[in-house]
Amino acid sequence: SILQQETPLRVVLFLLKHPNGKHKDILKEVSISSSTLSYHLNKLVSHDIIDIPLYTENRGYNVKNKEYITG
């Protein structure tokens, strides 16, 4: 599973605590390069784990199925 990898798991845990997390905020928490974070975010979106943000000022990434993630 994708969530057995450290970086995607850290991203999802961050988003559970900080809904509407922006790329720059996640980047500070995860401490990887911007392009690597984008890669992992795209992977999480393609696995239907997080929502891709609408490009408005107040919207960021969110976990889609929190019940599935938290168990």
Side-chain angles (χ1 to χ4, degrees):
S1 171
I2 188 171
L3 295 179
Q4 292 178 334
Q5 300 170 18
E6 180 182 354
T7 300
L9 178 61
R10 289 180 64 198
V11 169
V12 169
L13 292 174
F14 176 83
L15 292 174
L16 286 170
K17 293 179 185 176
H18 304 93
N20 291 317
K22 309 258 187 308
H23 187 277
K24 66 178 182 168
D25 300 325
I26 301 167
L27 194 58
K28 289 178 192 174
E29 178 70 21
V30 180
S31 299
I32 56 177
S33 73
S34 180
S35 61
T36 301
L37 176 58
S38 294
Y39 167 79
H40 286 291
L41 289 170
N42 287 329
K43 246 174 110 172
L44 289 165
V45 168
S46 71
H47 281 84
D48 212 29
I49 296 172
I50 63 173
D51 283 326
I52 194 163
L54 299 175
Y55 292 99
T56 62
E57 190 172 318
N58 296 322
R59 177 121 162 100
Y61 292 93
N62 284 294
V63 176
K64 285 184 88 168
N65 296 316
K66 292 178 184 164
E67 306 81 31
Y68 175 77
I69 303 298
T70 59

